[in-house]
Amino acid sequence: MKEITNDSGIVIQEKYNTLPPNYIPSAAGEFPYTSGIQPDMYRGKLWTMRQYAGFSTAEESNQRYHYLLSQGVSGLSVAFDLPTQIGYDSDHPLAEGEVGKVGVAIDSLEDMQVLFKGIELEKVSTSMTINATGFILLALYTALAKQQGADLSKISGTIQNDILKEYAARGTYIYPPKPSMRIITDIFEWCSTTLPKWNTISISGYHIREAGSTAVQEIAFTLSNGKAYVKAALQKGLDINVFGKRLSFFFNAHNDLFEEVAKFRAARTMWAQIMKELGATDPKALMLRFHTQTGGSTLTAQQPQNNISRVTLQTLAAVLGGTQSLHTNGFDEALSLPTEEAAKIALRTQQIVAFESGVTHTVDPLAGSFYVEQLTQEIAEKAWDLIATIDAMGGSVAAIEEGFMQDEIARSAYQYQRAIENGDKIIVGVNKFTTEEINNTPVFRVNDSIRQVQAEKLASLKTRRNNDAVAAALQAIATAANSGTNLMPHVVHAVEQLATLGEIADVLRKEMGEYQG
């Protein structure tokens, strides 16, 4: 009989008749949290339903946010364009052709005011997918909350702020690893007193998986990166029981339902053990809280309506795995940014699972399954082996500098693609069950004139603001960068003086250097 393996190379038995060796059942809400971080899980509170959205100008994105809120989303998730992600204002020569394309263009506090017009930040949880410039976007969000008169102790949300995976898998970095780690720990320190409910980092396996990793590599590399951030914060003298409560994770959900559920359960168990070994004692600092996004790389341009079924499977995997927050992709995202109709179907998919499927009625419905418990243990064992290899190199920063993570991901991506090409891996509508078709799916298009609109806004801003105050604020950031004092208060002050994102990023380019990957 042909041996069957999943994408992580784990051999799948024909039948599972016993629980794995050394199996110890764990209750939800109790260490090591294999079955979930809350004793009652979704009986007490459903996951936050988010829709990742952002495109064009702040005005257009604001309209989409109001639409999504009216349709029942319980949290916003902001996508930023590439110039914003890598610290260039929209009028920079390198921004040409990219402004507003894969997310919204944000150059200044005035753009942020428009982006959230009519939305009270104290009453909504906002996730921002931003890394190298995450500290600037957090400063802009904070400045806007202050303008709204919000109580900063009630402001909640997340910045991704995970630079290590950018070096390993995605590429939107600016500064070298060590200065970047310093910025991240500055954010940890500042938020602990200024924004105590803010999740200061979303340690991301999502993009590692999108780059071609296996499920095992996704959690191994992500948890290893998490260890690196915790150790950097400890070296800064921060309290693990304080900043540890504000760490969150971001994982991918793919199509192999049981592998994905087991992956989430294994990750939760492993992180609790890692944090305990690093000295955490507060139960909330031991809990792995995570956001999930359905797998963008699993979506096909061929027969795009099939993606609705894929997203439904992935939604079930995330929920059965115990996610705290979920974004579901639009079925048309292999073709373009999602249309409003596709975004609505994606949200309705979450709502149908939540209110019609019955999977939320009990905690960890697959707990005790011979197959799922065995798979959870095997995924954890393989991930621990990878983490041990990274630890032996000196941790994630060293492993990335040596190219270890990048090479492992590239090898897995190659093997996966070969399996599709030779037919060992079936993708419906791509290499099997194909049809001659004319794709009439409507696509979302972004107007190419956005860069000119943003450039005109910037020109106007620079004539109206107090440029002496801006220059002084930027100099204060440079001084803080060299003295080692926390950057965040100075960045908040600078954006309040209407310094632009590109100006702030450029100050630190000069002081910290740029990473040449």
Side-chain angles (χ1 to χ4, degrees), residues 158-200:
T158 306
I159 43 171
Q160 193 165 103
N161 196 30
D162 174 9
I163 202 64
L164 291 179
K165 68 93 177 48
E166 295 296 326
Y167 303 120
R170 191 161 174 265
T172 63
Y173 44 72
I174 302 175
Y175 314 110
K178 288 183 174 62
S180 294
M181 294 292 277
R182 177 262 175 98
I183 293 172
I184 288 167
T185 55
D186 276 3
I187 292 169
F188 289 179
E189 181 180 52
W190 180 77
C191 284
S192 67
T193 54
T194 307
L195 295 177
K197 289 185 69 177
W198 192 266
N199 296 324
T200 51

Side-chain angles (χ1 to χ4, degrees), residues 96-231:
E96 188 168 355
E98 295 295 343
V99 176
K101 290 297 176 68
V102 298
V104 63
I106 297 294
D107 293 320
S108 72
L109 182 57
E110 290 188 349
D111 286 332
M112 208 69 163
Q113 290 165 344
V114 174
L115 185 66
F116 291 100
K117 185 178 180 180
I119 299 170
E120 293 182 60
L121 301 191
E122 199 174 300
K123 295 182 178 179
V124 68
S125 168
T126 302
S127 173
M128 296 189 280
T129 303
I130 196 76
N131 295 282
T133 55
F135 68 106
I136 304 174
L137 270 299
L138 180 59
L140 288 164
Y141 196 84
T142 303
L144 179 58
K146 289 167 68 177
Q147 286 186 348
Q148 289 186 356
D151 180 349
L152 295 186
S153 69
K154 295 179 181 177
I155 295 294
S156 66
T158 306
I159 43 171
Q160 193 165 103
N161 196 30
D162 174 9
I163 202 64
L164 291 179
K165 68 93 177 48
E166 295 296 326
Y167 303 120
R170 191 161 174 265
T172 63
Y173 44 72
I174 302 175
Y175 314 110
K178 288 183 174 62
S180 294
M181 294 292 277
R182 177 262 175 98
I183 293 172
I184 288 167
T185 55
D186 276 3
I187 292 169
F188 289 179
E189 181 180 52
W190 180 77
C191 284
S192 67
T193 54
T194 307
L195 295 177
K197 289 185 69 177
W198 192 266
N199 296 324
T200 51
I201 193 168
S202 179
I203 306 160
S204 176
Y206 182 85
H207 303 97
I208 290 170
R209 192 68 177 279
E210 289 291 287
S213 82
T214 65
V216 166
Q217 290 169 336
E218 179 187 356
I219 62 167
F221 296 161
T222 306
L223 298 184
S224 183
N225 289 347
K227 281 179 70 174
Y229 293 126
V230 171
K231 287 182 176 180

Side-chain angles (χ1 to χ4, degrees), residues 5-25:
T5 62
N6 63 20
D7 291 338
S8 292
I10 294 170
V11 176
I12 306 302
Q13 301 170 27
E14 184 178 359
K15 296 179 182 178
Y16 290 81
N17 297 317
T18 60
L19 289 166
N22 307 315
Y23 170 73
I24 301 172

Side-chain angles (χ1 to χ4, degrees), residues 440-461:
N440 295 316
T441 304
V443 295
F444 185 93
R445 301 201 183 280
V446 175
N447 194 314
D448 286 329
S449 67
I450 292 163
R451 183 168 185 259
Q452 182 61 34
V453 171
Q454 287 297 112
E456 289 170 2
K457 286 184 187 177
L458 282 164
S460 171
L461 172 78

Side-chain angles (χ1 to χ4, degrees), residues 34-55:
T34 309
S35 286
I37 61 171
Q38 301 297 338
D40 56 355
M41 285 303 290
Y42 303 132
R43 288 172 70 103
K45 180 185 177 185
L46 290 175
W47 63 92
T48 301
M49 297 184 191
R50 298 187 187 277
Q51 282 304 109
Y52 185 48
F55 55 88

